[in-house]
Amino acid sequence: MREALKNVICPTCGGPHSGADDYFDEHKLRMENAHLKEELDRVSSLTSKYLGRPITQLPSMQPLSMSSLELSVGGLGSPVALGPALDLDPLGGSSPFQLPAPVSEMERPMMAEMATRAMDEFIRLAQAGEHLWVKAAGGREVLNVDTYDSIFAKPGSSSFRGPDVHVEGSRDSCLVLTSAIALVDMFMDSVRLRCILTSIDRWNRLRDVHWPLLCVSLQSKWTEFFPTIVTRARTIDVLVNGMAGRSESLVLMYEELHVMSPVVPTREFCFLRYCRQIEQGLWAIADVSVDLQRDARYGAPPARSRRLPSGCLIADMSNGYSKVTWVEHMETEDKTPINQLYRDLVLSGAAFGAHRWLAALQRACERHACLVTPPHRDIAGVTLEGKRSMMRLSQRMVGSFCASLSASQQHRWTTLSGPGAGVDDAAGVRVMVHRSTDPGQPSGVVLSAATSIWLPVSCDRVFAFVSDENTRSQWDVLSHGNPVQEVSRIPNGSHPGNSISLLRGLNASQNSMLILQESCADASGSLVVYAPIDLPAANVVMSGEDPSAIPLLPSGFTILPDGRASSSTGSVVTVAFQILVSSLPSSRLNAESVATVNSLIGTTVEQIKAALNCGSSH
């Protein structure tokens, strides 16, 4: 039969029949696909263990505007029926996020040379003396730009910069509670995973299809360590694997940095990261932006920020600590005026400077150390597994909250008119809408609202007030004046206020609900984030089970110094709420929902001011 089929002629074209071995070819393809699926499952399993979550659980936020909404704060209250629709589209016209183009073979030698030059310059900056670095207010080291230009003369120096280009250069050093190798692995996370995967049979056949998905997953390590600074990160391409994914590794990355306020534009960088082991126990990680003209050829908009040779020098202290010297050097083009509240903080270089990066790194390393340490004996009924589960859930909550405050081009905020709008000590209320499909959030449509205010009190005082459960009823509108009780508390840092708590309202109608809260403070600012969680979910967490499926919709506060040289006591506070609304196909935002959230934020702000004796004029 098979021989006869080979001699069949197609009546249409007169040629040989092409389907003679279709059945056998299809069977072969099915077997091949089954083998490839087995390999993919194995790679996915390995990646999930490495990342701590399945690679399919990727955040997906699609722009959406809404109509006729039903509203519940935190996603766990009873929906409130609302009135007629308002012709307001907070996300209208938002552009989809596009990664920079991968590296072509022709570009690789040029990028390798660029990374080598950047590494040499960074090491000189990290080790330079007072001729390059001068002391600024607060003891911070800032770059002497004129001296730098004379030493490192090149295109882009003072004679080439436009009038709107602002230069920021800062350096800082500190001890962190982590070994040098662990820090290097965190910085070079994507290269390390790729080295592991390349040891798996048939990975080369899967790489081209599934590496982009893994690169998206790999943002977690960088953003988990720096959620207050990094709102988005991607590995675009691994140019050189290096030795065990460490020394001589070279990777092309994308990141977006923010100040956790919708009024401060984010800064985007496409940059090379190069790792080198200088000597035993001493490592250097250098970052430098790629050529500004490169991505313009692929249709990407021109960058407003450029990272000049920056990075960190990591010296292992052989006692579990590392000494880290951080250099941050960038140029930004000020196309739009900076909001008055954050102007001093941003223009001083403190908002994106080395001091802030190191403070966040210290806090993250302390938190990680607490994660692997058995719980203190005064945490009643909490096992090590329960503590770890609670810390992972809280980490996800904090990351979600920080990302919700991004002012990137993908997050289109709309400013509402009303109290505070256009006033020097307030930024007005801003709202944004998105559809949530992340398994870690309630599924549906989410309305975010935030405002920033200036208070004539220190960051420490504001932090102590909003993080203390004993004073919560003074500002929490939804507590209706009822006190709350701390059920459990897990310290997670050297600062006495750094902790994760479960709070319970003493109102009888709230017995089935708890509040998960994380409070954290460092030298650069502080954060208080909270979200409602029902009692069954809390029991799941405390028993040590996987908390990844528990939905959270966090709200909270960010507290930053105002950066004013004339005052050391002022702070800029951002108050933010996220509200779950019903998933409807229409695209109009309800007027009453806007009024509700506007009133919620306004009342919260006024109660905080009254409690801190700031007065209504501030």
Side-chain angles (χ1 to χ4, degrees), residues 90-111:
L91 289 176
S94 62
S95 56
F97 171 68
Q98 290 185 335
L99 276 175
V103 181
S104 67
E105 291 299 323
M106 186 177 299
E107 291 176 305
R108 288 175 183 264
M110 177 269 293
M111 289 194 174

Side-chain angles (χ1 to χ4, degrees), residues 17 70 82 96 118 136 160 305 321 331 391 412 481 490 494 503 562:
H17 181 52
E70 292 180 347
L82 301 175
F160 295 89
S305 305
Y321 283 81
E331 292 179 343
M391 290 187 72
R412 295 299 177 90
I490 299 176
S494 58
L503 307 176
D562 58 17

Side-chain angles (χ1 to χ4, degrees), residues 97-103 107 111 114 232-237 239 251-257 267-273 286-296 298 300-308:
F97 171 68
Q98 290 185 335
L99 276 175
V103 181
E107 291 176 305
M111 289 194 174
M114 183 188 305
R232 177 166 31 212
R234 299 287 191 272
T235 298
I236 301 169
D237 204 347
L239 282 71
V251 62
L252 181 65
M253 295 183 64
Y254 165 87
E255 72 177 2
E256 187 174 13
L257 311 183
R267 296 184 179 181
E268 297 179 78
F269 300 95
C270 178
F271 64 98
L272 293 167
R273 171 162 292 172
D287 295 344
V288 63
S289 286
V290 297
D291 182 9
L292 290 176
Q293 300 301 316
R294 176 182 183 269
D295 290 317
Y298 297 95
R304 292 183 295 107
S305 305
R306 183 164 71 108
R307 177 172 280 139
L308 301 178

Side-chain angles (χ1 to χ4, degrees), residues 202-215:
R202 304 165 68 89
W203 163 248
N204 288 334
R205 303 186 66 176
L206 294 166
R207 179 186 58 203
D208 293 338
V209 176
H210 298 287
W211 178 246
L213 176 61
L214 295 177
C215 285

Side-chain angles (χ1 to χ4, degrees), residues 32-33 134 184 240 255 262 284 360 382 388 427-428 430 477 488 584:
E32 183 72 10
N33 286 340
V134 295
V184 170
V240 181
E255 72 177 2
V382 179
R388 289 175 176 172
R430 284 164 165 77
V477 179
S488 180
L584 298 175

